[in-house]
CSV table of all heavy atoms in Angstrom, one decimal:
chain,number,residue,atom,x,y,z
A,62,MET,N,64.5,113.5,97.5
A,62,MET,CA,64.3,112.7,96.3
A,62,MET,C,65.6,112.5,95.6
A,62,MET,O,66.3,113.5,95.3
A,62,MET,CB,63.3,113.4,95.4
A,62,MET,CG,63.0,112.6,94.2
A,62,MET,SD,61.4,113.0,93.5
A,62,MET,CE,61.8,114.4,92.5
A,63,SER,N,66.0,111.3,95.3
A,63,SER,CA,67.2,111.0,94.6
A,63,SER,C,67.0,110.9,93.1
A,63,SER,O,66.2,110.2,92.6
A,63,SER,CB,67.8,109.6,95.2
A,63,SER,OG,68.9,109.3,94.4
A,64,ARG,N,67.9,111.6,92.4
A,64,ARG,CA,67.8,111.6,90.9
A,64,ARG,C,69.1,110.9,90.4
A,64,ARG,O,70.1,111.2,90.9
A,64,ARG,CB,67.7,113.0,90.3
A,64,ARG,CG,66.3,113.6,90.6
A,64,ARG,CD,66.2,114.8,89.7
A,64,ARG,NE,64.8,115.2,89.9
A,64,ARG,CZ,64.3,116.2,89.2
A,64,ARG,NH1,65.0,116.9,88.4
A,64,ARG,NH2,63.1,116.6,89.4
A,65,THR,N,68.9,110.1,89.4
A,65,THR,CA,70.1,109.5,88.8
A,65,THR,C,70.6,110.4,87.7
A,65,THR,O,69.8,111.0,87.0
A,65,THR,CB,69.8,108.1,88.2
A,65,THR,OG1,68.7,108.2,87.3
A,65,THR,CG2,69.3,107.1,89.3
A,66,LYS,N,71.9,110.4,87.6
A,66,LYS,CA,72.5,111.2,86.6
A,66,LYS,C,72.3,110.6,85.2
A,66,LYS,O,72.5,109.4,85.1
A,66,LYS,CB,74.0,111.3,86.9
A,66,LYS,CG,74.8,112.2,86.1
A,66,LYS,CD,76.2,112.3,86.7
A,66,LYS,CE,77.2,112.4,85.6
A,66,LYS,NZ,78.6,112.5,86.1
A,67,PRO,N,71.9,111.3,84.2
A,67,PRO,CA,71.7,110.7,82.9
A,67,PRO,C,73.1,110.2,82.3
A,67,PRO,O,74.1,110.7,82.7
A,67,PRO,CB,71.2,111.9,82.0
A,67,PRO,CG,71.6,113.1,82.7
A,67,PRO,CD,71.7,112.8,84.2
A,68,PRO,N,73.0,109.2,81.5
A,68,PRO,CA,74.3,108.6,81.0
A,68,PRO,C,75.0,109.7,80.2
A,68,PRO,O,74.4,110.5,79.5
A,68,PRO,CB,73.8,107.5,80.1
A,68,PRO,CG,72.3,107.4,80.1
A,68,PRO,CD,71.8,108.5,81.0
A,69,SER,N,76.3,109.6,80.3
A,69,SER,CA,77.2,110.5,79.5
A,69,SER,C,77.2,110.2,78.0
A,69,SER,O,76.7,109.1,77.6
A,69,SER,CB,78.6,110.4,80.0
A,69,SER,OG,79.2,109.2,79.7
A,70,ARG,N,77.6,111.1,77.2
A,70,ARG,CA,77.7,110.9,75.8
A,70,ARG,C,78.6,109.7,75.5
A,70,ARG,O,78.3,108.9,74.6
A,70,ARG,CB,78.2,112.2,75.1
A,70,ARG,CG,78.3,112.1,73.6
A,70,ARG,CD,77.0,112.1,73.0
A,70,ARG,NE,77.1,112.1,71.5
A,70,ARG,CZ,76.4,111.4,70.7
A,70,ARG,NH1,75.3,110.8,71.2
A,70,ARG,NH2,76.6,111.4,69.4
A,71,ALA,N,79.7,109.6,76.2
A,71,ALA,CA,80.6,108.5,76.0
A,71,ALA,C,79.9,107.2,76.3
A,71,ALA,O,80.1,106.2,75.6
A,71,ALA,CB,81.8,108.6,77.0
A,72,HIS,N,79.1,107.1,77.4
A,72,HIS,CA,78.4,105.9,77.7
A,72,HIS,C,77.4,105.5,76.6
A,72,HIS,O,77.3,104.4,76.2
A,72,HIS,CB,77.7,106.0,79.0
A,72,HIS,CG,76.9,104.8,79.4
A,72,HIS,ND1,77.5,103.7,80.0
A,72,HIS,CD2,75.6,104.6,79.3
A,72,HIS,CE1,76.5,102.8,80.2
A,72,HIS,NE2,75.4,103.3,79.8
A,73,LYS,N,76.7,106.5,76.1
A,73,LYS,CA,75.7,106.3,75.0
A,73,LYS,C,76.4,105.8,73.7
A,73,LYS,O,75.9,104.9,73.1
A,73,LYS,CB,75.0,107.6,74.7
A,73,LYS,CG,74.0,108.0,75.8
A,73,LYS,CD,73.3,109.3,75.4
A,73,LYS,CE,72.4,109.8,76.5
A,73,LYS,NZ,71.8,111.1,76.1
A,74,LEU,N,77.6,106.4,73.4
A,74,LEU,CA,78.3,105.9,72.2
A,74,LEU,C,78.8,104.5,72.4
A,74,LEU,O,78.7,103.7,71.5
A,74,LEU,CB,79.4,106.8,71.9
A,74,LEU,CG,79.1,108.2,71.4
A,74,LEU,CD1,80.3,109.1,71.2
A,74,LEU,CD2,78.4,108.1,70.0
A,75,ALA,N,79.3,104.2,73.6
A,75,ALA,CA,79.7,102.8,73.9
A,75,ALA,C,78.6,101.8,73.7
A,75,ALA,O,78.7,100.7,73.2
A,75,ALA,CB,80.4,102.7,75.2
A,76,GLN,N,77.4,102.2,74.2
A,76,GLN,CA,76.2,101.3,74.1
A,76,GLN,C,75.8,101.1,72.6
A,76,GLN,O,75.5,100.0,72.2
A,76,GLN,CB,75.1,101.9,74.9
A,76,GLN,CG,73.9,101.0,75.0
A,76,GLN,CD,74.2,99.6,75.6
A,76,GLN,OE1,74.8,99.6,76.7
A,76,GLN,NE2,73.8,98.6,74.9
A,77,GLU,N,75.9,102.2,71.9
A,77,GLU,CA,75.6,102.1,70.4
A,77,GLU,C,76.6,101.2,69.7
A,77,GLU,O,76.2,100.4,68.8
A,77,GLU,CB,75.6,103.5,69.8
A,77,GLU,CG,74.4,104.3,70.1
A,77,GLU,CD,73.1,103.7,69.6
A,77,GLU,OE1,73.1,103.2,68.4
A,77,GLU,OE2,72.2,103.7,70.3
A,78,ALA,N,77.8,101.2,70.1
A,78,ALA,CA,78.9,100.3,69.6
A,78,ALA,C,78.5,98.9,69.9
A,78,ALA,O,78.5,98.0,69.0
A,78,ALA,CB,80.2,100.6,70.1
A,79,LYS,N,78.1,98.6,71.1
A,79,LYS,CA,77.6,97.2,71.4
A,79,LYS,C,76.4,96.8,70.6
A,79,LYS,O,76.3,95.7,70.2
A,79,LYS,CB,77.3,97.2,72.9
A,79,LYS,CG,78.5,97.3,73.8
A,79,LYS,CD,78.1,97.4,75.3
A,79,LYS,CE,79.3,97.7,76.2
A,79,LYS,NZ,78.9,97.9,77.6
A,80,ASN,N,75.5,97.7,70.4
A,80,ASN,CA,74.3,97.4,69.6
A,80,ASN,C,74.7,97.1,68.2
A,80,ASN,O,74.1,96.1,67.6
A,80,ASN,CB,73.3,98.6,69.6
A,80,ASN,CG,72.7,98.8,71.0
A,80,ASN,OD1,72.7,98.0,71.9
A,80,ASN,ND2,72.1,100.0,71.2
A,81,CYS,N,75.6,97.8,67.6
A,81,CYS,CA,76.1,97.5,66.3
A,81,CYS,C,76.7,96.1,66.2
A,81,CYS,O,76.4,95.4,65.2
A,81,CYS,CB,77.1,98.5,65.8
A,81,CYS,SG,76.5,100.1,65.3
A,82,LEU,N,77.4,95.7,67.2
A,82,LEU,CA,78.0,94.4,67.2
A,82,LEU,C,77.0,93.3,67.3
A,82,LEU,O,77.0,92.3,66.7
A,82,LEU,CB,79.1,94.3,68.3
A,82,LEU,CG,80.3,95.1,68.0
A,82,LEU,CD1,81.3,95.0,69.2
A,82,LEU,CD2,81.0,94.7,66.8
A,83,THR,N,76.0,93.6,68.2
A,83,THR,CA,74.9,92.6,68.4
A,83,THR,C,74.2,92.4,67.1
A,83,THR,O,73.9,91.2,66.7
A,83,THR,CB,73.9,93.1,69.5
A,83,THR,OG1,74.7,93.3,70.7
A,83,THR,CG2,72.8,92.2,69.7
A,84,ILE,N,73.9,93.4,66.3
A,84,ILE,CA,73.2,93.3,65.1
A,84,ILE,C,74.1,92.6,64.0
A,84,ILE,O,73.7,91.8,63.3
A,84,ILE,CB,72.7,94.7,64.6
A,84,ILE,CG1,71.7,95.2,65.5
A,84,ILE,CG2,72.2,94.6,63.2
A,84,ILE,CD1,71.4,96.7,65.3
A,85,ALA,N,75.4,93.0,64.0
A,85,ALA,CA,76.3,92.4,63.0
A,85,ALA,C,76.4,90.9,63.1
A,85,ALA,O,76.5,90.3,62.1
A,85,ALA,CB,77.7,93.1,63.2
A,86,VAL,N,76.5,90.4,64.3
A,86,VAL,CA,76.6,88.9,64.4
A,86,VAL,C,75.4,88.1,63.9
A,86,VAL,O,75.5,87.0,63.5
A,86,VAL,CB,77.0,88.4,65.8
A,86,VAL,CG1,78.3,89.0,66.3
A,86,VAL,CG2,75.9,88.8,66.8
A,87,ALA,N,74.3,88.8,63.8
A,87,ALA,CA,73.1,88.1,63.3
A,87,ALA,C,72.9,88.3,61.8
A,87,ALA,O,72.0,87.7,61.2
A,87,ALA,CB,71.9,88.7,64.0
A,88,GLN,N,73.8,89.0,61.1
A,88,GLN,CA,73.6,89.3,59.7
A,88,GLN,C,74.2,88.2,58.8
A,88,GLN,O,75.2,87.6,59.1
A,88,GLN,CB,74.4,90.6,59.3
A,88,GLN,CG,73.8,91.8,59.9
A,88,GLN,CD,72.3,92.0,59.6
A,88,GLN,OE1,71.9,91.9,58.4
A,88,GLN,NE2,71.5,92.2,60.6
A,89,LYS,N,73.4,87.9,57.8
A,89,LYS,CA,73.9,86.9,56.8
A,89,LYS,C,74.7,87.5,55.7
A,89,LYS,O,75.5,86.9,55.1
A,89,LYS,CB,72.7,86.2,56.2
A,89,LYS,CG,71.9,85.4,57.2
A,89,LYS,CD,70.9,84.4,56.6
A,89,LYS,CE,70.0,83.8,57.5
A,89,LYS,NZ,70.6,83.1,58.6
A,90,ASP,N,74.5,88.8,55.5
A,90,ASP,CA,75.3,89.5,54.5
A,90,ASP,C,76.6,90.0,55.1
A,90,ASP,O,76.6,90.9,55.9
A,90,ASP,CB,74.5,90.7,54.0
A,90,ASP,CG,75.2,91.6,53.0
A,90,ASP,OD1,76.3,91.2,52.6
A,90,ASP,OD2,74.6,92.6,52.6
A,91,PRO,N,77.7,89.4,54.7
A,91,PRO,CA,79.0,89.8,55.3
A,91,PRO,C,79.4,91.2,55.1
A,91,PRO,O,80.1,91.8,55.9
A,91,PRO,CB,80.0,88.8,54.6
A,91,PRO,CG,79.3,88.1,53.5
A,91,PRO,CD,77.9,88.4,53.7
A,92,ALA,N,79.0,91.8,53.9
A,92,ALA,CA,79.4,93.2,53.7
A,92,ALA,C,78.6,94.1,54.7
A,92,ALA,O,79.2,95.1,55.2
A,92,ALA,CB,79.0,93.6,52.2
A,93,PHE,N,77.4,93.9,54.9
A,93,PHE,CA,76.6,94.7,55.9
A,93,PHE,C,77.1,94.5,57.3
A,93,PHE,O,77.3,95.4,58.1
A,93,PHE,CB,75.1,94.3,55.8
A,93,PHE,CG,74.3,95.2,56.7
A,93,PHE,CD1,74.3,96.6,56.6
A,93,PHE,CD2,73.4,94.6,57.6
A,93,PHE,CE1,73.5,97.4,57.4
A,93,PHE,CE2,72.6,95.4,58.4
A,93,PHE,CZ,72.6,96.8,58.3
A,94,ALA,N,77.5,93.2,57.6
A,94,ALA,CA,78.0,92.9,58.9
A,94,ALA,C,79.4,93.7,59.1
A,94,ALA,O,79.6,94.2,60.2
A,94,ALA,CB,78.2,91.4,59.1
A,95,GLY,N,80.2,93.7,58.1
A,95,GLY,CA,81.4,94.4,58.1
A,95,GLY,C,81.2,95.9,58.3
A,95,GLY,O,82.0,96.5,59.1
A,96,ASP,N,80.2,96.5,57.6
A,96,ASP,CA,79.9,97.9,57.8
A,96,ASP,C,79.5,98.2,59.3
A,96,ASP,O,79.9,99.2,59.8
A,96,ASP,CB,78.8,98.3,56.9
A,96,ASP,CG,79.2,98.4,55.4
A,96,ASP,OD1,80.5,98.4,55.2
A,96,ASP,OD2,78.3,98.4,54.6
A,97,LEU,N,78.7,97.3,59.8
A,97,LEU,CA,78.3,97.5,61.2
A,97,LEU,C,79.5,97.4,62.2
A,97,LEU,O,79.6,98.1,63.2
A,97,LEU,CB,77.2,96.5,61.6
A,97,LEU,CG,75.9,96.7,61.0
A,97,LEU,CD1,75.0,95.5,61.2
A,97,LEU,CD2,75.2,97.9,61.6
A,98,ILE,N,80.4,96.5,61.9
A,98,ILE,CA,81.6,96.3,62.8
A,98,ILE,C,82.5,97.6,62.6
A,98,ILE,O,83.0,98.1,63.6
A,98,ILE,CB,82.3,95.0,62.4
A,98,ILE,CG1,81.5,93.8,62.8
A,98,ILE,CG2,83.7,95.0,63.1
A,98,ILE,CD1,82.0,92.5,62.2
A,99,ASP,N,82.6,98.1,61.4
A,99,ASP,CA,83.4,99.3,61.2
A,99,ASP,C,82.8,100.5,62.0
A,99,ASP,O,83.5,101.2,62.7
A,99,ASP,CB,83.5,99.7,59.8
A,99,ASP,CG,84.4,98.8,58.9
A,99,ASP,OD1,85.2,98.0,59.6
A,99,ASP,OD2,84.2,98.8,57.7
A,100,GLU,N,81.5,100.6,62.0
A,100,GLU,CA,80.8,101.6,62.7
A,100,GLU,C,81.0,101.4,64.2
A,100,GLU,O,81.2,102.4,65.0
A,100,GLU,CB,79.3,101.6,62.4
A,100,GLU,CG,78.5,102.7,63.1
A,100,GLU,CD,78.9,104.1,62.7
A,100,GLU,OE1,79.6,104.3,61.7
A,100,GLU,OE2,78.5,105.1,63.4
A,101,ALA,N,80.9,100.2,64.7
A,101,ALA,CA,81.1,99.9,66.1
A,101,ALA,C,82.5,100.4,66.5
A,101,ALA,O,82.7,100.9,67.6
A,101,ALA,CB,80.9,98.4,66.4
A,102,ILE,N,83.5,100.1,65.7
A,102,ILE,CA,84.9,100.5,66.0
A,102,ILE,C,85.0,102.0,66.1
A,102,ILE,O,85.6,102.6,67.1
A,102,ILE,CB,85.9,100.0,65.0
A,102,ILE,CG1,86.0,98.4,65.1
A,102,ILE,CG2,87.2,100.6,65.1
A,102,ILE,CD1,86.6,97.8,63.9
A,103,ARG,N,84.3,102.7,65.2
A,103,ARG,CA,84.4,104.2,65.2
A,103,ARG,C,83.7,104.7,66.5
A,103,ARG,O,84.2,105.7,67.1
A,103,ARG,CB,83.7,104.8,64.0
A,103,ARG,CG,84.6,104.7,62.7
A,103,ARG,CD,83.9,105.5,61.6
A,103,ARG,NE,82.7,104.9,61.0
A,103,ARG,CZ,82.7,103.9,60.1
A,103,ARG,NH1,83.8,103.5,59.6
A,103,ARG,NH2,81.6,103.4,59.7
A,104,LEU,N,82.5,104.2,66.8
A,104,LEU,CA,81.8,104.6,68.0
A,104,LEU,C,82.6,104.3,69.3
A,104,LEU,O,82.6,105.2,70.1
A,104,LEU,CB,80.4,103.9,68.0
A,104,LEU,CG,79.4,104.3,67.0
A,104,LEU,CD1,78.2,103.4,67.0
A,104,LEU,CD2,78.9,105.7,67.2
A,105,ALA,N,83.2,103.2,69.3
A,105,ALA,CA,83.9,102.8,70.5
A,105,ALA,C,85.1,103.8,70.7
A,105,ALA,O,85.5,104.2,71.8
A,105,ALA,CB,84.4,101.4,70.5
A,106,ALA,N,85.8,104.1,69.6
A,106,ALA,CA,87.0,105.0,69.7
A,106,ALA,C,86.5,106.3,70.1
A,106,ALA,O,87.2,107.0,71.0
A,106,ALA,CB,87.6,105.0,68.3
A,107,ARG,N,85.4,106.8,69.6
A,107,ARG,CA,84.9,108.2,70.0
A,107,ARG,C,84.5,108.1,71.5
A,107,ARG,O,84.8,109.1,72.2
A,107,ARG,CB,83.8,108.6,69.1
A,107,ARG,CG,83.3,110.0,69.4
A,107,ARG,CD,84.3,111.0,69.1
A,107,ARG,NE,83.7,112.3,69.5
A,107,ARG,CZ,84.4,113.3,70.1
A,107,ARG,NH1,85.6,113.1,70.5
A,107,ARG,NH2,83.8,114.4,70.4
A,108,ALA,N,83.9,107.1,71.9
A,108,ALA,CA,83.5,107.0,73.3
A,108,ALA,C,84.8,107.0,74.2
A,108,ALA,O,84.7,107.7,75.3
A,108,ALA,CB,82.8,105.6,73.6
A,109,ARG,N,85.8,106.3,73.8
A,109,ARG,CA,87.1,106.4,74.6
A,109,ARG,C,87.6,107.8,74.7
A,109,ARG,O,88.1,108.2,75.7
A,109,ARG,CB,88.1,105.4,74.1
A,109,ARG,CG,87.8,103.9,74.4
A,109,ARG,CD,88.9,103.0,74.1
A,109,ARG,NE,89.3,103.0,72.7
A,109,ARG,CZ,88.7,102.2,71.8
A,109,ARG,NH1,87.7,101.4,72.1
A,109,ARG,NH2,89.0,102.3,70.5
A,110,GLU,N,87.6,108.5,73.5
A,110,GLU,CA,88.1,109.9,73.5
A,110,GLU,C,87.3,110.7,74.4
A,110,GLU,O,87.9,111.6,75.2
A,110,GLU,CB,88.0,110.4,72.1
A,110,GLU,CG,88.9,109.8,71.1
A,110,GLU,CD,88.6,110.3,69.6
A,110,GLU,OE1,87.7,111.2,69.5
A,110,GLU,OE2,89.3,109.8,68.7
A,111,LEU,N,86.0,110.6,74.4
A,111,LEU,CA,85.2,111.5,75.3
A,111,LEU,C,85.4,111.1,76.8
A,111,LEU,O,85.3,112.0,77.6
A,111,LEU,CB,83.7,111.3,74.9
A,111,LEU,CG,83.3,111.9,73.6
A,111,LEU,CD1,81.9,111.6,73.3
A,111,LEU,CD2,83.5,113.5,73.6
A,112,ALA,N,85.6,109.9,77.1
A,112,ALA,CA,85.7,109.4,78.4
A,112,ALA,C,87.1,109.9,79.0
A,112,ALA,O,87.2,110.0,80.3
A,112,ALA,CB,85.6,107.9,78.5
A,113,ALA,N,88.1,110.1,78.2
A,113,ALA,CA,89.4,110.4,78.7
A,113,ALA,C,89.5,111.9,79.2
A,113,ALA,O,88.7,112.7,79.0
A,113,ALA,CB,90.4,110.3,77.5
């Protein structure tokens, strides 16, 4: 029986960053969209750190 390896923490954080950006582009409130983009940047940076 073949089992797939669960996604790494880095992969999960990268996916969360993408989710933040997806939500941000649909926002009408620029301040909230900016907060989501800032969070996406933080998540992506942490994902890169973990992947290294």
Side-chain angles (χ1 to χ4, degrees):
M62 180 159 84
S63 173
R64 289 192 173 184
T65 58
K66 187 173 144 182
S69 68
R70 180 75 178 140
H72 178 79
K73 289 179 185 179
L74 288 174
Q76 186 59 51
E77 284 298 315
K79 291 175 189 174
N80 291 344
C81 283
L82 291 176
T83 299
I84 295 167
V86 297
Q88 293 303 309
K89 295 194 186 310
D90 178 5
F93 185 52
D96 289 343
L97 287 169
I98 292 167
D99 289 344
E100 182 65 14
I102 291 168
R103 284 190 290 274
L104 289 167
R107 183 66 181 135
R109 283 190 300 273
E110 289 172 4
L111 290 174

